Amino acid sequence: MPNIRALLLSLTLAASSAALAQSGTLTIATAQDPQSWDPIDTFLVAWGTVAHNIYDGLIIRGPDLKLMPGLATKWAYTNPKTLRFTLRTGVKFHDGEPFNAAAVKFTFDRLLGPEGKKGPQQANYNSIKEVKVINPTTVDFILSESDPVLLTKLSGYGAMIVPPKYLKDKGDAYFNTHPVGTGPFKFGSYTANQDIKLTANKTYWGGAPKVANLTYRFIEEPATRVAELQAGRVDIATAIPVAQAAVVKGNASLSLQAVPSPTVQALRLNFTHAPTDDLRVRQAINYAIDKDAIIKSILQGYASPISAMQSSKSFGFDPNLKSYPYDPAKAKALLAAAGIKPGTSVGIDFVGTDAVFREVAQAIAGFLQVVGLKADLKPYETNTFYSDIIPKNKTSNGYQMGWGGWTFDFDNTAYLLYHSEQFWNADLKDKKLDTLLDSQHNLADQNKRLTILRQIAQYAQDQAVDVPLYNQQDLWGVNKRVQNFQAPSDSLLHLQNVSVK
């Protein structure tokens, strides 16, 4: 006869262990509320920081930036324009409907159709002509042209797989604020500009998360994020301002994780507004700004100089391309040659809550004053800036352009920022630049593509399209009670294996 007391004790301990394995709440402070949780509606890094815990793609890119199986267990080209995926079986969306080939087709039909056209994601995937269902666990991506960055793109943002029935029943507007995916965490609640709360998906195909609840708080003001981290009300804080890096490092309960990121910052110059419609003025602004001084004094060394809108890890990086040197005398001569009178006003737009760039903008104003230009600084609310001011060409002469080149491929930056009629490019129309961008966009030969990408960077510099400023390091503040957290280089958090003690 079995020992009943021992059996009951064993069952109790097992239940207790299961609860401990998935307990507690992990709270993260991020700077921005993307406003919509639909994968096709946004290209904001803040979206990826949250939503890659709600959704899965066919492919996942890990913290080491290597591609690995996600909702697809394997993939291969059956011919140069057909990419076949074998899908994971037994997976369900959070609402209970099955993940299968039909869901993949629905996702990409929607992304490439009228609904996707409303947002910034469609251009990333326009090499896909159609998705064909071969059987419930197999799909073929039929390509209209080759895309050397497609596999990486399929691991993020617009390529996240969405539930067909749920979307058809609830509609796009509801889905924006009540997301459903197959990821390690399920949607709980969302309060705009306040927080989004998620709960563990205990049946997640990749293993149940280590925490029961995941809360993201939207705190735009950097000082407030740090204060909440210090007070213990936040476990992880993104985008620690460099001015407060020492504060975090000096707190015995906290650690500072600094990671090289793909994010670069530039002052983009508007081609449709005088006086920056004149090449000489744009070149003068490049010569007028001491980028090394900005990195040393404002960034405190948590950044490196750049000569183009990409980091040194980006495919397309040219180590031989040198940025405009700091030369105020050259800047004054160019302005004089362009007939620009001393005291001429130029507008500079930026995100008002970005404490670091606010200081950068003030420094730029000082440098421009030295060469005879009067900078008019114009701060904007974050979502207004990125959804209205930039894409609708409401910017001034110069405006902040921070770009998280998460694919680590210059095409995914240059095409979207420099090609005519793109969402993020409302003012630049240059046929030569368009031709260069198109010539490599679907080129399979990587050596030829590298050559063209470097030509694009050189041409952008020659035309002074922008003032490349710096490649920043991402600073993360982490409470030491958080276990197994590694700050990613691409800001795409995967938190199923993170725990709190």
Side-chain angles (χ1 to χ4, degrees):
M1 183 174 179
N3 187 322
I4 300 299
R5 289 184 64 188
L7 180 60
L8 289 173
L9 178 61
S10 174
L11 291 172
T12 300
L13 289 174
S16 175
S17 297
L20 286 173
Q22 191 180 73
S23 62
T25 298
L26 179 67
T27 302
I28 299 171
T30 185
Q32 186 178 4
D33 178 359
Q35 302 293 320
S36 172
W37 299 108
D38 189 332
I40 66 176
D41 282 351
T42 184
F43 216 150
L44 298 174
V45 170
W47 185 93
T49 301
V50 178
H52 275 71
N53 293 286
I54 301 172
Y55 300 103
D56 291 313
L58 297 175
I59 298 171
I60 292 174
R61 187 171 72 178
D64 59 1
L65 303 182
K66 292 182 179 179
L67 299 179
M68 54 188 179
L71 291 175
T73 57
K74 61 181 179 179
W75 54 88
Y77 280 92
T78 58
N79 63 59
K81 290 188 177 181
T82 303
L83 178 59
R84 174 163 291 185
F85 287 92
T86 300
L87 306 181
R88 197 174 295 277
T89 59
V91 177
K92 291 186 177 182
F93 289 97
H94 300 152
D95 66 333
E97 65 182 282
F99 161 75
N100 51 30
V104 177
K105 178 173 174 55
F106 173 84
T107 295
F108 286 92
D109 285 351
R110 180 172 180 265
L111 169 63
L112 299 172
E115 186 65 26
K117 193 173 183 179
K118 299 174 186 176
Q121 283 290 335
Q122 190 179 89
N124 250 338
Y125 304 92
N126 56 17
S127 64
I128 303 170
K129 182 179 179 181
E130 64 175 316
V131 173
K132 287 186 175 182
V133 174
I134 305 303
N135 57 53
T137 61
T138 309
V139 292
D140 279 353
F141 280 51
I142 310 301
L143 308 182
S144 58
E145 51 201 0
S146 62
D147 182 349
V149 198
L150 180 58
L151 290 176
T152 298
K153 292 175 185 176
L154 291 176
S155 70
Y157 294 96
M160 299 295 97
I161 306 301
V162 299
K165 184 178 185 302
Y166 181 83
L167 258 160
K168 290 173 183 175
D169 290 347
K170 299 294 186 179
D172 294 312
Y174 186 84
F175 185 62
N176 288 346
T177 55
H178 298 75
V180 166
T182 61
F185 290 90
K186 300 179 180 181
F187 173 75
S189 66
Y190 168 59
T191 303
N193 299 313
Q194 181 175 313
D195 60 35
I196 184 169
K197 295 180 179 180
L198 312 178
T199 60
N201 178 7
K202 297 179 182 179
T203 59
Y204 182 55
W205 60 265
K210 299 293 189 289
V211 292
N213 302 291
L214 181 58
T215 296
Y216 285 86
R217 294 175 56 193
F218 309 121
I219 305 175
E220 282 198 78
E221 181 55 49
T224 306
R225 285 199 303 278
V226 174
E228 291 296 280
L229 180 69
Q230 289 178 294
R233 290 186 288 268
V234 163
D235 299 306
I236 300 172
T238 68
I240 298 295
V242 292
Q244 294 188 280
V247 173
V248 175
K249 290 178 71 174
N251 189 313
S253 299
L254 307 176
S255 64
L256 183 76
Q257 294 191 21
V259 293
S261 81
T263 301
V264 291
Q265 290 283 354
L267 182 70
R268 181 74 181 262
L269 301 175
N270 194 303
F271 275 56
T272 62
H273 301 331
T276 47
D277 57 346
D278 189 313
L279 172 61
R280 292 166 296 184
V281 174
R282 298 195 304 273
Q283 290 175 330
I285 291 173
N286 269 275
Y287 282 117
I289 298 172
D290 189 342
K291 296 175 280 292
D292 289 334
I294 288 173
I295 292 170
K296 183 178 180 181
S297 62
I298 299 175
L299 279 298
Q300 297 182 21
Y302 288 110
S304 54
I306 55 174
S307 55
M309 283 289 291
Q310 60 181 327
S311 73
S312 60
K313 290 184 176 181
S314 169
F315 184 81
F317 174 75
D318 185 354
N320 296 314
L321 181 64
K322 307 302 179 184
S323 64
Y324 285 83
Y326 175 55
D327 191 340
K330 179 73 172 177
K332 289 179 181 179
L334 283 165
L335 291 172
I340 303 301
K341 295 180 180 180
T344 296
S345 179
V346 292
I348 296 178
D349 308 332
F350 61 97
V351 176
T353 55
D354 187 334
V356 173
F357 203 89
R358 186 191 303 126
E359 290 189 57
V360 171
Q362 291 167 348
I364 289 173
F367 291 129
L368 294 182
Q369 186 176 11
V370 169
V371 301
L373 296 174
K374 181 183 178 182
D376 179 16
L377 302 184
K378 300 178 182 179
Y380 287 93
E381 187 272 331
T382 305
N383 287 307
T384 300
F385 188 66
Y386 286 114
S387 64
D388 183 47
I389 301 301
I390 292 179
K392 295 181 181 178
N393 197 23
K394 297 179 181 179
T395 61
S396 302
N397 300 103
Y399 54 98
Q400 177 185 1
M401 179 54 76
W403 192 259
W406 74 279
T407 63
F408 290 90
D409 191 295
F410 190 44
D411 167 75
N412 194 232
T413 297
Y415 198 92
L416 296 175
L417 292 185
Y418 297 154
H419 199 285
S420 300
E421 309 301 331
Q422 289 298 308
F423 183 86
W424 299 109
N425 175 29
D427 62 280
L428 173 61
K429 293 178 176 61
D430 186 305
K431 289 184 179 180
K432 181 176 179 180
L433 195 49
D434 284 351
T435 299
L436 284 169
L437 288 163
D438 287 334
S439 68
Q440 63 76 41
H441 192 53
N442 305 111
L443 192 63
D445 189 319
Q446 294 289 67
N447 290 327
K448 288 182 179 178
R449 204 164 71 84
L450 178 61
T451 297
I452 299 170
L453 287 173
R454 288 176 172 176
Q455 290 172 354
I456 291 167
Q458 179 69 66
Y459 185 75
Q461 185 185 82
D462 293 342
Q463 295 299 308
V465 172
D466 41 37
V467 184
L469 294 170
Y470 51 85
N471 172 211
Q472 66 192 53
Q473 289 186 25
D474 285 340
L475 303 182
W476 299 71
V478 184
N479 192 299
K480 290 181 180 177
R481 82 186 192 104
V482 177
Q483 306 294 303
N484 201 33
F485 174 77
Q486 177 186 350
S489 294
D490 57 8
S491 295
L492 304 186
L493 292 182
H494 300 278
L495 297 171
Q496 64 265 34
N497 294 318
V498 176
S499 62
V500 291
K501 66 176 184 180

